[in-house]
Amino acid sequence: MIKFKRSSIVSGSIFLFLLAGCAIKSTVNTNKANRATVTDQNLALTPPMGWNSWNAFGENVNEQVIRETADAMVKSGLKNAGFSYVVIDDIWQGGRDSSTGMLYANPKKFPSGIKALADYVHSKGLKFGIYSDAGTKTCGEMPGSYGYEKKDARLFAEWGIDFLKYDYCFCPDFVSANNDYKMAISRYKAMGDALKATGRPILFSICEWGPRSPWLWGKEVGGQMWRTSYDIHDIWDIPRNETSPIGILTSIDVMADLGRFSGPGGWNDPDMLVVGLSNTGFIKGGGCNDIEYRTQMSMWCMFSAPLMVGCDIRNMNEATKTIILNKDIIDIDQDSLGKQGYRVMRKDGLEAWKKPLSGNRIAIALFNRNSSDKTITASWKDLEMEAGTRYHVFDVWKHSTEGRADGNLSANLQPHECKVFVLSVSKT
Ligand code: GAL
């Protein structure tokens, strides 16, 4: 079926991407890449937050699911916490009309049509997103937007779309990256320009998966976020010889070197949250425990990553709600400086990550990759902090001030656990 066909195509391609990766050189002027217009930037001054249908529902998405999800966004408190986009991913399409060339929704899944659904989502004070592809077909083998960029962009604007996720399946070089990024740049630019030409602010989410370094050209083509890796699945780690799909740990490692490309107006996107899927979603993997889900949330916020929830939010359990609705960790994600956290210490499977925050504060994540309990101690030197400075330490998951620290930070960590602290200079 579609799912297997696509994943075999994509995973078969990874090896070729990796081989090509070493030879790839940027043909993009990165100064130019930073010259997005003020309007584009305003669409995502902080990392976008919302929900996407793919992880939980895949090809089974329909209008009832979307309406109930919009209701649940409000009822569960997600909307109040800042999650604003409701995005329908792939396989919403019915086809493309052969005489008019107009894309239409699958009438069985969306009997009221997309415009009515967008109106409903808007009536809840939320924003509405949709999915298409830069190739002839989407990854789920629905019609892609190649050659129809202007038509599709106008249609999306008429429907009231606020967010477009744009994939890269069925482009000529999608299986093996060429030694330049020209094809991807021109295809994403065609849609980026078409979206701009509609006059409607539509956030442009680039889903090229990373092999053509979209962090170098994502802003230049009008994007506000770009995927850094292949699809994340509901699993902590995937054996090293497999690169697609990936688990939480690999996504973290890919992000480690990309911090300088992310910031207000354009964000590195390590893919959606798998928090709360518990191996019940459309994308599988075996599931993670709540400590691992909490680590994903922690690290995504340390990264200033877009926070796109992927579980069925109509049925979240308490543990999932506690993770996703933690205002203190969300505040780190949404901090106005928009800096991506970076790894400052790595030893024996123990890591410390640092993220500068507004107001002269610093977020520190202490993280245990091991499968046994460990104690980590990071000195001010490890954390690249000035000797002698004394900080108030606030534990973001305990929601409490832990006292003061003046030389190191220490934590006992369970397997795969991550603790996050906000440090502010103490005068006393
Ligand atoms: C993949 C994409 C996923 C999902 C899927 C739909 O290429 O990375 O996030 O959108 O296609 O077919």
Side-chain angles (χ1 to χ4, degrees):
M1 281 197 35
I2 291 165
K3 205 169 51 158
F4 295 114
K5 207 165 175 185
R6 185 191 55 252
S7 56
S8 61
I9 292 168
V10 173
S11 37
S13 69
I14 312 306
F15 185 60
L16 294 169
F17 278 139
L18 290 180
L19 279 183
C22 314
I24 290 173
K25 287 196 193 84
S26 169
T27 53
V28 179
N29 174 340
T30 44
N31 286 335
K32 233 165 128 201
N34 290 331
R35 249 187 267 146
T37 66
V38 173
T39 327
D40 299 334
Q41 302 249 3
N42 285 347
L43 274 179
L45 283 177
T46 56
M49 293 171 66
W51 174 88
N52 175 298
S53 63
W54 188 253
N55 284 357
F57 298 99
E59 63 193 329
N60 304 317
V61 66
N62 60 43
E63 73 177 41
Q64 194 189 343
V65 162
I66 298 297
R67 280 170 189 262
E68 289 175 5
T69 297
D71 296 345
M73 293 275 280
V74 178
K75 202 165 161 226
S76 64
L78 276 168
K79 181 188 160 196
N80 276 348
F83 293 89
S84 58
Y85 291 98
V86 176
V87 181
I88 309 183
D89 207 285
D90 203 2
I91 324 198
W92 60 269
Q93 307 87 335
R96 192 179 285 285
D97 187 287
S98 55
S99 55
T100 63
M102 296 300 272
L103 207 50
Y104 56 87
N106 181 323
K108 288 209 180 87
K109 294 179 183 175
F110 298 93
S112 319
I114 300 293
K115 171 89 178 72
L117 198 51
D119 290 346
Y120 185 79
V121 171
H122 290 150
S123 77
K124 300 278 159 186
L126 297 163
K127 293 179 182 154
F128 188 58
I130 210 160
Y131 162 103
S132 194
D133 188 288
T136 46
K137 288 193 259 182
T138 70
C139 300
E141 309 207 16
M142 296 288 118
S145 288
Y146 178 64
Y148 294 91
E149 291 86 354
K150 289 185 183 145
K151 209 175 226 340
D152 290 356
R154 279 197 299 267
L155 179 67
F156 296 152
E158 274 163 30
W159 280 346
I161 300 296
D162 307 295
F163 179 115
L164 176 67
K165 174 172 171 181
Y166 206 48
D167 221 332
Y168 201 65
C169 275
F170 294 98
C171 292
D173 64 340
F174 98 99
V175 175
S176 58
N178 291 333
N179 284 353
D180 63 50
Y181 314 136
K182 283 193 193 121
M183 168 80 67
I185 291 171
S186 78
R187 290 195 174 213
Y188 278 99
K189 187 166 184 316
M191 184 49 95
D193 289 350
L195 292 175
K196 256 178 238 154
T198 68
R200 184 178 174 86
I202 300 178
L203 192 150
F204 190 30
S205 165
I206 294 173
C207 180
E208 172 280 342
W209 322 296
R212 299 162 195 81
S213 308
W215 42 88
L216 294 178
W217 46 265
K219 263 193 181 177
E220 186 187 356
V221 300
Q224 284 81 26
M225 55 193 267
W226 39 84
R227 280 271 294 276
T228 50
S229 41
Y230 289 105
D231 296 18
I232 194 167
H233 273 201
D234 186 12
I235 185 168
W236 176 249
D237 198 10
I238 298 262
R240 281 288 143 199
N241 57 353
E242 287 188 30
T243 45
S244 174
I246 58 172
I248 293 173
L249 200 58
T250 307
S251 296
I252 292 174
D253 289 339
V254 171
M255 286 288 275
D257 300 322
L258 298 178
R260 65 191 186 283
F261 303 110
S262 201
W267 307 95
N268 287 329
D269 171 17
D271 207 358
M272 297 172 275
L273 295 170
V274 292
V275 180
L277 283 170
S278 307
N279 208 31
T280 57
F282 179 78
I283 60 141
K284 294 279 191 291
C288 300
N289 63 37
D290 287 330
I291 290 177
E292 293 165 339
Y293 287 142
R294 202 171 66 195
T295 294
Q296 189 194 20
M297 185 74 180
S298 296
M299 291 307 295
W300 266 230
C301 293
M302 288 295 290
F303 290 143
S304 296
L307 297 178
M308 300 303 289
V309 174
C311 66
D312 181 353
I313 59 170
R314 301 168 307 173
N315 300 306
M316 287 187 290
N317 64 26
E318 285 312 308
T320 301
K321 283 190 207 156
T322 311
I323 295 170
I324 292 175
L325 291 166
N326 178 348
K327 192 179 169 313
D328 290 324
I329 195 80
I330 293 173
D331 282 350
I332 293 179
D333 184 73
Q334 296 290 303
D335 185 75
S336 57
L337 279 190
K339 297 266 187 224
Q340 181 171 319
Y342 52 98
R343 188 156 41 200
V344 282
M345 182 186 140
R346 185 171 203 185
K347 201 172 171 243
D348 301 331
L350 294 170
E351 298 183 358
W353 293 70
K354 177 175 179 181
K355 173 177 176 167
L357 299 175
S358 57
N360 210 18
R361 296 165 308 137
I362 300 164
I364 299 288
L366 301 178
F367 169 38
N368 179 16
R369 300 168 79 103
N370 298 285
S371 43
S372 56
D373 289 3
K374 296 278 174 194
T375 300
I376 176 171
T377 301
S379 68
W380 272 197
K381 191 161 175 257
D382 294 327
L383 298 172
E384 298 171 356
M385 309 219 292
E386 225 173 280
T389 316
R390 179 181 280 217
Y391 290 94
H392 278 290
V393 179
F394 180 80
D395 184 321
V396 168
W397 287 105
K398 277 198 201 154
H399 310 287
S400 65
T401 300
E402 295 293 283
R404 285 187 289 267
D406 56 10
N408 61 59
L409 212 53
S410 206
N412 299 321
L413 298 171
Q414 296 176 62
H416 306 166
E417 187 177 10
C418 177
K419 288 191 176 165
V420 183
F421 304 95
V422 173
L423 276 54
S424 44
V425 176
S426 162
K427 302 251 157 53
T428 54

